[in-house]
Amino acid sequence: MTAVPQFDPVIHPPARLQLAAALSEVNDMEFGRARDLLGVSDSVLSKHLAQMQDAGYVRLRKAPLGGRQRTWLVLTAQGRTALKAHVRALQDLAGIVG
Amino acid sequence: MTAVPQFDPVIHPPARLQLAAALSEVNDMEFGRARDLLGVSDSVLSKHLAQMQDAGYVRLRKAPLGGRQRTWLVLTAQGRTALKAHVRALQDLAGIVG
DNA sequence: TTCTGACTTTCCATTATGGAAAGAGAACAG
DNA sequence: CTGTTCTCTTTCCATAATGGAAAGTCAGAA
């Protein structure tokens, strides 16, 4: 009996919403940069990424940089679509407010 | 070191965001109607309302209707401002996505 | 082989959210 | 006046989410 539109639970939480939005701006982003951007610990980012991967919204690409292995985060087409849909639902609210 | 904008924690959670948005459309709304709209129990709505009242975003007006006492929910000016600010932050993300 | 850097996973604490049930106050029935 | 009923509130509990610290993993450096 939920008369209101539901939001995507994978994307709605602040940390993941901000991450998805940030990733939508670029082709990819380094793990460490994303961690600093969100202001969370390694473990926390890693766990958020696991959820987003399970949903198929993010893909991790591991490649060496400066000798060391680094992880690059990429928003998938599916992730971009989900983000757009979520934002559209929010914009509907925006429209309501005027 | 949070480089991303923060959302209003009182308004961001789905249930309260939807409630705030719904209240922004009308002058007031009956408790029971809001409860059905959100699809939650009396106790849950009551608790969400308590948080929104603490933040000064909602005011409860008790008045009789059909003999019985009813509670009407009203979004305060402060609540409307907060909702707008929150929505604007979300629209910035929307802009990012295109 | 050992050490390091860069994540990942486990462990634990805190907080949020939700429902059921008990409470509280007002109005109605008798 | 007393007992009920209606309409929320508050309390009690259970579950899930989120976060950090610390331990674990793995590839490349030394």
Side-chain angles (χ1 to χ4, degrees):
Chain A
M1 208 291 209
T2 308
V4 280
Q6 279 307 313
F7 300 124
D8 186 325
V10 175
I11 290 190
H12 189 83
R16 294 197 292 270
L17 177 57
Q18 296 172 336
L19 179 56
L23 291 180
S24 74
E25 293 184 284
V26 297
N27 287 322
D28 52 34
M29 186 182 286
E30 214 182 306
F31 183 98
R33 174 149 165 51
R35 176 202 58 214
D36 295 343
L37 186 69
L38 297 183
V40 296
S41 63
D42 288 354
S43 62
V44 168
L45 174 56
S46 189
K47 282 181 281 191
H48 279 308
L49 285 173
Q51 293 187 62
M52 296 176 85
Q53 282 184 95
D54 288 348
Y57 294 170
V58 164
R59 184 166 18 93
L60 302 193
R61 188 164 54 78
K62 309 226 169 191
L65 173 70
R68 288 288 167 197
Q69 178 123 346
R70 297 292 176 83
T71 299
W72 304 84
L73 321 182
V74 180
L75 189 67
T76 64
Q78 197 179 149
R80 184 172 298 271
T81 298
L83 176 60
K84 279 186 183 174
H86 186 78
V87 165
R88 192 166 309 124
L90 294 171
Q91 282 184 313
D92 289 344
L93 294 182
I96 287 169
V97 177
Chain B
M1 202 307 203
T2 309
V4 279
Q6 280 305 314
F7 300 123
D8 187 324
V10 175
I11 291 189
H12 190 82
R16 295 197 293 269
L17 177 57
Q18 296 173 335
L19 179 56
L23 292 180
S24 75
E25 294 185 284
V26 297
N27 287 321
D28 52 33
M29 186 182 288
E30 214 181 305
F31 183 98
R33 175 149 164 52
R35 176 202 57 214
D36 295 342
L37 187 68
L38 296 184
V40 296
S41 63
D42 288 355
S43 62
V44 167
L45 174 56
S46 189
K47 282 181 281 190
H48 279 308
L49 286 173
Q51 293 187 61
M52 294 176 85
Q53 281 184 95
D54 289 347
Y57 294 169
V58 164
R59 185 166 20 93
L60 302 193
R61 189 164 53 78
K62 308 226 170 191
L65 173 70
R68 289 287 169 195
Q69 178 123 348
R70 297 293 175 84
T71 298
W72 303 84
L73 321 183
V74 181
L75 189 66
T76 64
Q78 198 179 151
R80 185 172 296 272
T81 298
L83 176 61
K84 279 185 182 173
H86 186 78
V87 165
R88 192 165 310 123
L90 294 170
Q91 281 183 314
D92 289 344
L93 293 182
I96 286 169
V97 178

